[in-house]
Amino acid sequence: MRGLCVALLIGVWLLQGQQPQGGQEIRFGKVNIRYDVLVSARRFKGDTYEVEVRGKRSAPVRVESPDQYFTMTCMQLRATLGPDEQRRLTVRTAEATGQVEFVYNRPQPLSKLNGTAQRVRYDDQKRTVTLEGDVSLDGEDEFYLVRWRNNERIVVYLEEELQRVEAKSKERDGVPLGSMTIEPKGKQTP
């Protein structure tokens, strides 16, 4: 039992990087997670870890994963980290809650996503991000700017040739409130 406790403490110590002002930091390959409180950290077979962290209003949790093209801020995060097929260390799954902002910025095929929600679930294997609870999302590619507002749930399929989004609108008295607007991006003439 003592050996297990020592191994867990060493694992947490290895996961933690420098401590920036106002919080702590975990570096996992190129993935960087800044947080205020480490709730739990577990290591599984191989190089797979599960971490749960919390932030505070003045210093929310911030996840940066440049190889996966996203950043996310939230109040609480539970994530599984491990190597992908190319042996790069990445976020495998993540569930973020509490005033979540998710930003995805990939050159092609989907250029940009910027969304807010109460809960965001990221699944690297399925290549999806699911935003739930008071969702607003902006999507942009080289031709169009698309805005979704007043949605209860939005699922975005990442890294597909065509932008595929499934949206479920909020409803009031059985009437959908959600909207989607599409604006073509063209050359502006003065």
Side-chain angles (χ1 to χ4, degrees):
M1 185 66 165
R2 179 188 263 177
L4 181 59
C5 290
V6 170
L8 182 60
L9 288 174
I10 290 172
V12 170
W13 177 74
L14 289 173
L15 280 174
Q16 293 183 356
Q18 304 170 10
Q19 292 190 8
Q21 188 175 9
Q24 299 177 8
E25 186 173 284
I26 295 172
R27 286 195 180 272
F28 189 79
K30 291 186 179 179
V31 177
N32 186 30
I33 301 173
R34 282 182 252 151
Y35 61 94
D36 188 53
V37 175
L38 177 64
V39 176
S40 67
R42 298 186 327 181
R43 182 176 183 179
F44 299 106
K45 289 183 180 179
D47 291 328
T48 303
Y49 294 87
E50 181 181 86
V51 297
E52 185 175 349
V53 294
R54 290 192 181 135
K56 56 185 177 183
R57 190 171 302 277
S58 62
V61 174
R62 180 169 175 84
V63 180
E64 298 169 338
S65 185
D67 286 345
Q68 294 169 291
Y69 310 106
F70 78 84
T71 61
M72 184 166 36
T73 59
C74 59
M75 289 293 112
Q76 184 169 348
L77 173 77
R78 177 177 290 157
T80 304
L81 308 159
D84 64 6
E85 297 82 31
Q86 290 84 28
R87 305 300 298 160
R88 294 177 300 174
L89 301 174
T90 62
V91 176
R92 289 186 175 172
T93 62
E95 182 173 353
T97 56
Q99 300 173 350
V100 185
E101 181 177 353
F102 183 85
V103 177
Y104 182 80
N105 192 357
R106 181 183 171 93
Q108 292 296 329
L110 179 62
S111 297
K112 295 179 184 177
L113 285 174
N114 188 347
T116 59
Q118 291 303 309
R119 175 183 307 255
V120 171
R121 286 179 287 140
Y122 174 83
D123 188 324
D124 190 55
Q125 183 178 1
K126 293 180 182 178
R127 301 304 304 146
T128 60
V129 61
T130 304
L131 298 95
E132 297 177 316
D134 198 21
V135 180
S136 290
L137 181 66
D138 293 337
E140 182 178 344
D141 63 16
E142 61 183 314
F143 302 109
Y144 295 101
L145 176 61
V146 183
R147 291 185 173 101
W148 292 269
R149 298 294 184 263
N150 292 317
N151 286 276
E152 189 57 39
R153 182 173 192 254
I154 292 181
V155 179
V156 181
Y157 295 85
L158 305 171
E159 294 187 18
E160 292 188 358
E161 286 301 316
L162 298 173
Q163 181 175 337
R164 184 163 63 122
V165 177
E166 297 173 358
K168 179 183 177 204
S169 174
K170 285 184 185 179
E171 293 183 3
R172 184 180 303 142
D173 299 326
V175 177
L177 299 174
S179 65
M180 179 181 80
T181 57
I182 302 174
E183 297 176 16
K185 292 169 65 177
K187 293 182 180 181
Q188 301 286 332
T189 56

